[in-house]
Amino acid sequence: TPAASGVRTAVPYVVGQWVRAEYFYGRQSIIDEVLGGNRNWLWLLGTRRIGKTSVLKQLEHLALIQPELGFLPVFWDLQGADRPDELHLDFADAILDSEDRLERIGVTLSEVHADDCFESLGRLRRMLISKGLRLLLLCDEVEELIQLNRQDPSLLRKLRRALHSRDGIRSVLASSSRLWQLAETDEDTSPFLDGFTPPLTLGALEDDAARQLIRQARLAEASRPEISDAEIQRICDLCGNHPYQIQLLCRR
């Protein structure tokens, strides 16, 4: 296993938490598709621990540091939103977490807040359009919508209309393959996932990104671990370029 030199600081590989900025590696084609492509409805599909939340957080980070892209990002975590009232509360939390970035463009919480998340989402979208911006809505743990659909199918119809608004919003969903359950419907309306398919699949990292992750290539040189090329290749082979497994093995 790789060992750090006595003169170097041990690198804190991140295990079990999302990463962004200098700790984020790879996924460039997906990031380019989301931030620079023509699709406004995107679905990030991946298994557990493959890095879906990290991709959303990196998209949020890039949108904030590159204002020329014209996006105002809002991260909406749906985990635990298995009841209609929780869906509304979780979106209110997402808006509250974005208060500082909204104030920087001259939008106050009172202008966009509503007890109903669909009303709040519409207000936010229209306010951003007036500022020459688009909402980048980054939705995590979207599997919760399956349970919501069982309780109240009309709720998903409203959400689909809100996410599919023609102007001022780019919607990104992140989930496992369980969300395919929303691809079919017995009703006359379009399925929830209509427009979000085909998904952008998150799999193993590409070889170069996996090696950079092991080297921690974005950190200052003095902070990187000393790992030989042979050790790096061995780690890649053992982990199949899976980002979570790489960081777990390197940390240990």
Side-chain angles (χ1 to χ4, degrees), residues 200-221:
L200 302 176
T201 303
L202 291 177
L205 294 174
E206 295 182 351
D207 289 342
D208 186 57
R211 294 189 183 101
Q212 289 183 15
L213 172 59
I214 296 167
R215 292 190 180 100
Q216 293 290 289
R218 291 184 175 173
L219 297 183
E221 187 173 357

Side-chain angles (χ1 to χ4, degrees), residues 13-243:
Y13 289 96
V14 180
V15 177
Q17 301 177 33
W18 54 263
V19 295
R20 66 182 171 195
E22 68 268 24
Y23 295 102
F24 184 91
Y25 295 89
R27 313 302 192 193
Q28 192 59 50
S29 62
I30 287 177
I31 288 171
D32 291 344
E33 176 71 17
V34 174
L35 296 180
N38 295 320
R39 295 174 60 185
N40 282 326
W41 314 312
L42 301 110
W43 175 20
L44 304 182
L45 171 63
T47 59
R48 289 184 69 251
R49 305 287 193 182
I50 201 65
K52 298 185 293 296
T53 302
S54 292
V55 173
L56 294 181
K57 286 294 186 178
Q58 179 70 355
L59 289 166
E60 179 184 41
H61 169 70
L62 292 174
L64 289 173
I65 66 170
Q66 299 179 56
E68 67 274 11
L69 294 173
F71 288 116
L72 191 288
V74 171
F75 181 85
W76 186 7
D77 185 358
L78 278 76
Q79 187 171 30
D82 55 356
R83 301 191 313 274
D85 58 328
E86 290 294 336
L87 184 72
H88 299 299
L89 289 172
D90 283 350
F91 188 72
D93 286 342
I95 296 298
L96 183 61
D97 289 342
S98 304
E99 181 177 11
D100 288 347
R101 67 190 65 163
L102 289 171
E103 289 183 346
R104 284 197 294 270
I105 62 169
V107 177
T108 64
L109 279 182
S110 61
E111 291 176 294
V112 297
H113 174 74
D115 292 335
D116 181 275
C117 71
F118 307 114
E119 173 64 25
S120 184
L121 182 55
R123 291 181 186 179
L124 176 60
R125 182 179 64 84
R126 291 188 291 272
M127 286 298 301
L128 293 181
I129 289 175
S130 72
K131 303 292 184 179
L133 296 168
R134 288 180 290 168
L135 172 62
L136 180 63
L137 188 61
L138 305 166
C139 307
D140 202 12
E141 304 288 351
V142 184
E143 294 93 339
E144 297 288 2
L145 296 181
I146 298 170
Q147 179 63 25
L148 281 172
N149 189 49
R150 295 186 183 121
Q151 297 182 46
D152 185 358
S154 67
L155 202 64
L156 253 65
R157 290 195 293 270
K158 292 179 182 178
L159 182 58
R160 184 178 183 275
R161 281 199 301 272
L163 298 182
H164 276 242
S165 297
R166 289 186 178 181
D167 300 317
I169 181 171
R170 179 160 295 187
S171 306
V172 185
L173 313 180
S175 79
S176 69
S177 60
R178 289 180 56 220
L179 202 65
W180 278 116
Q181 295 180 39
L182 301 181
E184 299 180 359
T185 179
D186 295 330
E187 303 179 18
D188 294 333
T189 56
S190 299
F192 179 80
L193 287 178
D194 191 26
F196 286 97
T197 55
L200 302 176
T201 303
L202 291 177
L205 294 174
E206 295 182 351
D207 289 342
D208 186 57
R211 294 189 183 101
Q212 289 183 15
L213 172 59
I214 296 167
R215 292 190 180 100
Q216 293 290 289
R218 291 184 175 173
L219 297 183
E221 187 173 357
S223 299
R224 300 173 194 168
E226 290 186 335
I227 308 178
S228 70
D229 290 342
E231 288 172 327
I232 289 173
Q233 188 59 54
R234 178 64 171 156
I235 293 169
C236 290
D237 293 342
L238 287 171
C239 298
N241 285 3
H242 191 291

